[in-house]
């Protein structure tokens, strides 16, 4: 998990204070824009889009650089991005809608919906790999544990042998990805291996939202993509969001980039499949635009309300944005029901307020919501590997401009 602790604790690198003022001062964002432009000019990224929304207004929105480095087409505002793990908070909202309706309980056993979970055991030593010795599970896995990444599942993203083998089993390779026809297939592979730890005893970033997606499908008897469209995307007016991109919008997709061994930034020869997708995951899989995802964030900031409608009850949003994992991640940051949560700024040298929630995607997309400051910020690009320098810079810049 050490590679993912920085994602949750990146703001500990920051040292500026947070002083809530009336509005964002755009003049104080000039250095931030210059920094991003320099990153583009020096071949660190092809392009990047940033949106800052404060007190119900978009106060700063920039698209810098290029969509791709093949034709050097400029990156436009409100481009479309493969948002990877920013899918997870959306799936969490869908699940909490079922909880509100009494169709599901946070304490329900996952095995009641996915029977294969009942046969899982726990690996004794991750360095022994997925075929190592195991011990019995002490207690059943619950829905809440799936939402909080405490179920004992993995994502196959760490450096030890267990995760390396799991990643190969489930995903194969970034540049030669495994091909599936439906979500049940990768989940079946995930459940072929032991748990990484006892349910409820650790926070470990995982593919748990894929199980949540299957549970959503089973309860509603509705395809996952159709449920999200009907109950989240359409009510929020998120016309650019989904598992597939319409033909007329394909040119809006920013292309994925990486640095070659000699440091040269290039457009990847492998891109996220943008049409014909039938694996409707909860872990990743969605495309979205900056303005679309802003609407989702506004709904969360407004405690479930958006444009006269109510996606979630206020008390549900309050519950989702609390820390539910104690100190399993660390003393100042935790995890709610689908979001990272900053809960102790006194001991975390961060510019944000207590209650800031956030998450991001593997291709360097990220958002945060600060209810106390009435503030939302999003930053979008498409670059691997995933690192935190632009998240750090975004937080410094936004809170420094208040």
């Amino acid at each position: 998990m050490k590679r993912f602790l920085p994602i949750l604790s990146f703001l500990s690198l920051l040292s500026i204070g947070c002083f809530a003022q009336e509005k964002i001062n755009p003049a104080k964002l000039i250095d931030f824009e210059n920094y991003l432009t320099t990153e583009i000019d020096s071949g660190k990224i092809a392009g990047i889009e940033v949106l800052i929304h404060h007190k119900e207004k978009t106060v700063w929105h920039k698209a810098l650089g290029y969509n791709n480095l093949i034709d050097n087409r400029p990156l436009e505002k409100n481009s479309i991005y493969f948002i990877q793990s920013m899918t997870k908070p959306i799936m969490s909202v869908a699940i909490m809608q079922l909880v509100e309706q009494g169709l599901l309980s946070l304490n329900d056993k996952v095995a009641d919906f996915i029977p294969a979970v009942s046969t899982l055991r726990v690996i004794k030593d991750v360095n022994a790999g997925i075929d190592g010795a195991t011990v019995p599970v002490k207690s059943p896995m619950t829905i809440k544990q799936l939402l909080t990444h405490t179920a004992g599942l993995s994502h196959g993203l760490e450096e030890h042998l267990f995760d390396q083998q799991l990643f190969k089993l489930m995903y194969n390779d970034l540049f030669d990805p495994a091909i599936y026809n439906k979500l049940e297939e990768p989940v079946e592979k995930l459940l072929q291996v032991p748990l990484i730890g006892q349910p409820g005893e650790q926070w470990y970033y995982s593919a748990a939202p894929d199980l949540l997606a299957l549970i959503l499908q089973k309860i509603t008897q509705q395809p996952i993509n159709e449920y999200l469209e009907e109950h989240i995307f359409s009510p929020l007016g998120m016309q650019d969001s989904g598992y597939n991109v319409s033909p007329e919008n394909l040119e809006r997709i920013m292309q994925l980039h990486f640095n070659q061994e000699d440091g040269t930034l290039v457009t990847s020869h492998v891109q996220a499949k943008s049409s014909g997708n039938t694996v409707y995951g909860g872990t990743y899989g969605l495309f979205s635009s900056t303005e679309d995802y802003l609407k989702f964030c506004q709904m969360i900031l407004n405690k479930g309300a958006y444009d006269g409608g109510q996606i979630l009850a206020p008390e549900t949003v309050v519950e989702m944005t609390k820390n539910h994992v104690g100190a399993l991640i660390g003393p100042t940051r935790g995890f709610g029901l689908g979001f990272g949560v900053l809960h102790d700024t006194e001991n975390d040298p961060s510019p944000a307020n207590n209650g800031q929630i956030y998450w991001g995607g593997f291709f360097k997309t990220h958002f945060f919501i600060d209810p106390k400051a009435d503030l939302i910020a999003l930053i979008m690009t498409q670059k691997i590997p995933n690192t935190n320098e632009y998240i750090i810079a975004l937080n410094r810049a936004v809170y420094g401009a208040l």
Side-chain angles (χ1 to χ4, degrees):
M1 194 175 79
K2 61 185 178 182
R3 266 168 53 192
F4 280 86
L5 287 177
I7 293 177
L8 296 166
S9 61
F10 57 84
L11 290 178
S12 65
L13 301 175
L14 310 182
S15 58
I16 64 174
C18 176
F19 304 95
Q21 299 294 330
E22 288 300 316
K23 61 182 180 180
I24 295 283
N25 181 354
K28 292 186 176 182
L29 294 168
I30 293 174
D31 287 346
F32 177 53
E33 182 174 354
N34 289 340
Y35 161 72
L36 295 176
T37 300
T38 300
E39 291 290 288
I40 294 166
D41 292 344
S42 62
K44 301 291 181 58
I45 49 173
I48 197 162
E49 183 177 357
V50 181
L51 188 152
I52 303 169
H53 192 84
H54 187 229
K55 295 187 181 296
E56 301 182 359
K57 292 182 179 179
T58 295
V59 296
W60 204 77
H61 188 185
K62 300 279 184 176
L64 307 170
Y66 306 99
N67 172 287
N68 68 83
L69 298 179
I70 297 174
D71 61 16
N72 288 331
R73 181 157 41 92
L75 183 67
E76 302 287 345
K77 285 183 181 179
N78 210 36
S79 292
I80 293 175
Y81 305 86
F82 190 54
I83 61 171
Q84 291 274 24
S85 289
M86 282 169 60
T87 302
K88 292 179 172 75
I90 293 174
M91 183 54 61
S92 298
V93 165
I95 288 294
M96 293 308 293
Q97 288 178 328
L98 302 188
V99 172
E100 282 189 351
Q101 296 168 41
L103 299 174
L104 187 66
S105 166
L106 293 179
N107 295 321
D108 281 347
K109 298 175 183 178
V110 177
D112 290 344
F113 304 95
I114 304 175
V117 169
S118 64
T119 64
L120 291 175
R121 292 171 62 87
V122 179
I123 197 75
K124 289 180 67 175
D125 179 5
V126 294
N127 294 309
I130 60 177
D131 296 317
T134 61
V135 297
V137 169
K138 296 178 184 177
S139 60
M141 184 188 300
T142 67
I143 299 298
K144 183 176 181 179
Q145 290 166 354
L146 293 181
L147 287 163
T148 57
H149 294 285
T150 59
L153 294 165
S154 176
H155 217 332
L157 299 176
E158 295 302 329
E159 296 177 358
H160 52 71
L161 182 59
F162 183 99
D163 267 11
Q164 290 177 355
Q165 291 178 337
L166 177 59
F167 187 90
K168 186 70 175 178
L169 177 67
M170 289 185 66
Y171 307 118
N172 192 42
D173 184 83
L174 281 174
F175 295 113
D176 184 20
I179 297 174
Y180 298 110
N181 295 312
K182 56 183 181 178
L183 182 59
E184 287 84 350
E185 294 167 2
V187 170
E188 181 181 347
K189 289 192 175 182
L190 175 64
L191 299 182
Q192 288 174 8
V193 308
L195 297 175
I196 203 83
Q198 292 289 345
E201 293 189 3
Q202 69 287 298
W203 187 92
Y204 200 90
Y205 194 45
S206 73
D210 280 345
L211 277 70
L212 291 171
L214 291 180
I215 291 168
L216 177 81
Q217 179 177 259
K218 186 167 187 175
I219 290 174
T220 63
Q221 292 296 295
Q222 189 174 8
I224 296 158
N225 61 325
E226 292 182 10
Y227 181 93
L228 296 184
E229 177 62 34
E230 179 179 346
H231 296 278
I232 297 177
F233 298 151
S234 181
L236 292 177
M238 295 174 67
Q239 297 179 352
D240 295 329
S241 300
Y243 295 96
N244 292 287
V245 179
S246 60
E248 63 269 22
N249 285 324
L250 292 177
E251 289 295 309
R252 292 173 55 199
I253 302 173
M254 185 183 183
Q255 300 298 292
L256 177 65
H257 298 81
F258 68 95
N259 290 102
Q260 298 182 124
E261 289 186 6
D262 65 359
T264 303
L265 183 70
V266 297
T267 302
S268 174
H269 59 285
V270 176
Q271 297 289 328
K273 184 182 176 185
S274 56
S275 62
N277 292 308
T278 56
V279 179
Y280 308 126
T283 295
Y284 69 97
L286 287 174
F287 291 85
S288 191
S289 63
T290 305
E291 292 180 11
D292 255 23
Y293 212 91
L294 170 65
K295 295 173 182 177
F296 176 79
C297 292
Q298 286 177 285
M299 179 272 293
I300 296 295
L301 181 63
N302 295 332
K303 291 186 169 56
Y306 184 83
D307 196 25
Q310 199 75 34
I311 303 300
L312 288 172
E315 56 270 24
T316 299
V317 177
V318 170
E319 195 67 19
M320 291 183 73
T321 55
K322 290 179 181 177
N323 176 33
H324 285 270
V325 302
L328 288 178
I329 296 173
T332 63
R333 292 179 177 273
F335 204 83
L337 304 178
F339 302 90
V341 181
L342 172 62
H343 61 83
D344 185 2
T345 53
E346 289 186 10
N347 295 297
D348 187 316
S350 161
N353 296 299
N354 280 338
Q356 189 205 64
I357 60 172
Y358 54 91
W359 208 243
F362 189 67
F363 289 174
K364 287 181 177 282
T365 60
H366 185 84
F367 74 93
F368 71 72
I369 304 168
D370 189 328
K372 186 174 181 180
D374 196 4
L375 177 65
I376 298 165
L378 301 104
I379 190 163
M380 302 280 210
T381 187
Q382 300 281 269
K383 169 78 185 294
I384 53 174
N386 184 30
T387 51
N388 299 322
E389 64 270 26
Y390 303 129
I391 303 171
I392 294 170
L394 175 70
N395 276 269
R396 282 178 170 163
V398 172
Y399 287 99
L402 282 171

